[in-house]
Structure formats: C-alpha cells, structure tokens
Amino acid sequence: MLTEATIHGYWKAIRALWKWAVEDLEIENVALPIKAPKYKLKPITPLSKSEIIMLLNAVENDVKGRKRPTRFRDRSIILFLLDTGLRLGELLRLQVK
C-alpha cells in the first residue's frame, strides 16, 4: 500500500510531465483538473535523553567489551547529527574545503 506522501509525489511527477508536454508538444493539459491528494506530514518524535545516552554509550565498546577505535569519530557524528538536524545522506555529502 502506498503512503499518502508517495501518492502526492506521483501526482507532482504527473503534473510536471504534463506541464512539459503542454509546452513542448503543444497539447492540451489533461492533468490540470486532477486535484492534489491531501496528506499530513508525520510528526517527528525526537529522541529522549535516555535514548541519546544509550546511543552514545553504544559506540564506546565492541561486543567483547573492548574500546572501539572509532568511538570518538562515531560519537562526534552522532552529536553533530543531533545538534544540526542533518540527515545521514546530507552529512555524507559534506565536503571539507
């Protein structure tokens, strides 16, 4: 089953296609009368303080209890994402210049 947001995205794509067709092919826009489907964005539930602490503690040790060599990097990434609200994909696209 498709979500309301997915259906709305399909509607936008159809409208864009027909806008192009009208301009380039000079045909009638049959998609114009189709109304936009309504949808509500799901509220974002922030992590609780205890969830953040558990997440930060999880990067400290490996499954055998040894300190992970990447713990400082991983902790920095988690804190950066929490502080800025960036998504992981956005963080991966950052470049140091």
Side-chain angles (χ1 to χ4, degrees):
M1 179 168 183
L2 299 176
T3 66
E4 293 174 346
T6 300
I7 294 169
H8 189 266
Y10 289 162
W11 173 82
K12 288 191 329 187
I14 291 168
R15 292 285 293 228
L17 173 67
W18 276 100
K19 182 179 179 190
W20 165 82
V22 167
E23 292 171 1
D24 284 14
L25 305 176
E26 298 178 359
I27 61 175
E28 181 184 354
N29 189 341
V30 297
L32 200 54
I34 301 172
K35 297 202 184 303
K38 296 187 189 303
Y39 75 98
K40 292 182 182 178
L41 293 175
K42 292 181 184 178
I44 298 172
T45 306
L47 296 175
S48 68
K49 184 176 181 178
S50 62
E51 289 171 324
I52 293 170
I53 290 169
M54 288 186 335
L55 190 59
L56 292 172
N57 287 338
V59 301
E60 290 298 318
N61 301 312
D62 64 15
V63 293
K64 294 184 179 180
R66 298 175 298 210
K67 293 290 183 193
R68 295 178 66 228
T70 60
R71 65 186 180 276
F72 298 116
R73 180 205 64 184
D74 296 345
R75 183 179 179 88
S76 298
I77 290 171
I78 290 169
L79 291 173
F80 183 80
L81 293 172
L82 288 169
D83 287 345
T84 62
L86 283 176
R87 292 174 278 189
L88 183 57
E90 295 168 325
L91 173 67
L92 294 174
R93 287 190 296 275
L94 291 179
Q95 296 180 4
V96 178
K97 292 185 178 182

